[in-house]
Amino acid sequence: MNNQSTTKKLTGKVALVTGASKGIGASIAKHLAAEGAAVVVNYASSKEGADRVVAEIVGGGGKAIAVQANVAKKTDVERLFAETKKAFGQLDILVNNAGIYEFSPLDGVTEEHFHKQFDLNVLGLILASQAAARQFGSAGGSIINISSGASTLTPANTSVYSATKAAVDAVTRSLAKELGPRNIRVNAINPGMVETEGVHSAGFLESDFRKQLQAQTPLGRIGQTQDIAPAAVFLASSDAAWITGETLLIAGGLR
Ligand code: NAP
């Protein structure tokens, strides 16, 4: 008898993590798998990144597959959930992590800037939640939305991005009420600035914005992906069985 597998928190569960080819999503996928969940690693364009995450999980004795889908498109979302069902037969956990951040002063806001972010960060999250709620079994499920500290910090030049994440917080609380009777819990994690591939390529790491945030952060540093992922495991597990509609700020004390 393998003692280890009996003590893992998510043994027998199936999780789908959107945008898991890199950054926060990749770390969450690996942490869920380490606790025994079979994981669907969704990606949009980085097949190589998703394959690396899958290889790491499988190499560690876990179960995972990579599935390409643009979560902002309903047909892709439907295919993603159909492939999840085909591979693992059930679904228990959805992590809505796929998201983009593009900052702009008001004068530079365009329809494209608005729709790109709302289509993925809000519409995509709702479409995936809808598909998950249809696929969860009679025991219910757990939806974890990766929102952002920006939803309440509302930094200058982030009106559209901050609005997408404020919408995510509202969707989290509303769906928690709607889906609670089916034992589907819906919570959000709201990270402060976390060092990821996306943050690197946006040039935030060397920016004054980062210096400013860090200076205002009681714990004196920006986050790493492993500062975030354990909270997703907690919210996915039965340790959080009576927690729903919460937004958990993980930002080194910055608020
Ligand atoms: P990242 O490094 O840029 O990675 C983004 C991930 O999302 C990638 O796996 C990417 O896949 C995927 N993705 C992008 N568009 C997609 C689409 N249309 N459909 C499916 N997947 C898509 O991002 P991150 O920094 O880890 O951020 C992840 C989440 O955390 C986002 O929701 C973000 O708003 C939130 N967040 C981040 C921070 C931070 O400081 N990093 C702070 C607060 C909140 P491909 O690589 O295949 O395109």
Side-chain angles (χ1 to χ4, degrees):
M1 172 108 169
N2 181 347
N3 264 340
Q4 241 189 337
S5 71
T6 53
T7 56
K8 287 183 176 176
K9 288 180 188 301
L10 301 173
T11 299
K13 303 288 185 193
V14 176
L16 192 168
V17 184
T18 66
S21 55
K22 49 172 98 122
I24 294 171
S27 184
I28 290 175
K30 290 182 221 168
H31 278 73
L32 293 173
E35 284 298 334
V39 181
V40 176
V41 174
N42 160 249
Y43 66 99
S45 57
S46 314
K47 182 176 182 326
E48 220 178 276
D51 286 345
R52 250 198 318 270
V53 174
V54 168
E56 202 175 309
I57 291 172
V58 172
K63 280 189 207 160
I65 56 163
V67 179
Q68 191 283 332
N70 175 355
V71 172
K73 285 193 182 159
K74 191 172 167 63
T75 48
D76 277 29
V77 171
E78 283 167 354
R79 182 173 46 75
L80 171 62
F81 281 78
E83 288 190 26
T84 299
K85 191 166 190 176
K86 200 170 134 202
F88 296 125
Q90 67 185 69
L91 182 68
D92 308 280
I93 299 153
L94 167 67
V95 182
N96 280 314
N97 165 81
I100 36 177
Y101 30 88
E102 247 183 40
F103 297 171
S104 169
L106 177 61
D107 207 45
V109 171
T110 61
E111 286 173 286
E112 201 226 339
H113 169 83
F114 178 92
H115 288 298
K116 198 168 144 190
Q117 295 185 83
F118 265 90
D119 281 0
L120 178 60
N121 299 6
V122 185
L123 177 61
L125 174 142
I126 289 173
L127 292 173
S129 302
Q130 181 185 60
R134 288 176 182 155
Q135 207 154 304
F136 286 149
S138 54
S142 174
I143 297 176
I144 298 155
N145 296 326
I146 307 305
S147 180
S148 170
S151 72
T152 48
L153 281 165
T154 55
N157 303 319
T158 71
S159 58
V160 174
Y161 176 68
S162 292
T164 67
K165 295 302 187 175
V168 168
D169 291 354
V171 168
T172 300
R173 289 191 286 263
S174 176
L175 287 183
K177 290 174 185 158
E178 181 179 334
L179 301 176
R182 292 167 55 194
N183 202 33
I184 298 172
R185 298 181 297 104
V186 188
N187 292 290
I189 293 172
N190 298 42
M193 188 184 283
V194 176
E195 185 175 355
T196 62
E197 288 87 333
V199 159
H200 268 282
S201 56
F204 291 154
L205 276 191
E206 307 309 326
S207 67
D208 288 344
F209 182 52
R210 179 253 174 99
K211 287 182 197 138
Q212 219 177 53
L213 285 182
Q214 192 160 302
Q216 293 165 1
T217 300
L219 291 178
R221 62 172 177 88
I222 62 164
Q224 298 297 320
T225 58
Q226 61 270 24
D227 290 316
I228 307 300
V233 170
F234 167 69
L235 289 172
S237 77
S238 60
D239 287 345
W242 209 43
I243 300 178
T244 195
E246 259 330 307
T247 48
L248 177 59
L249 188 61
I250 306 183
L254 179 66
R255 56 176 66 244

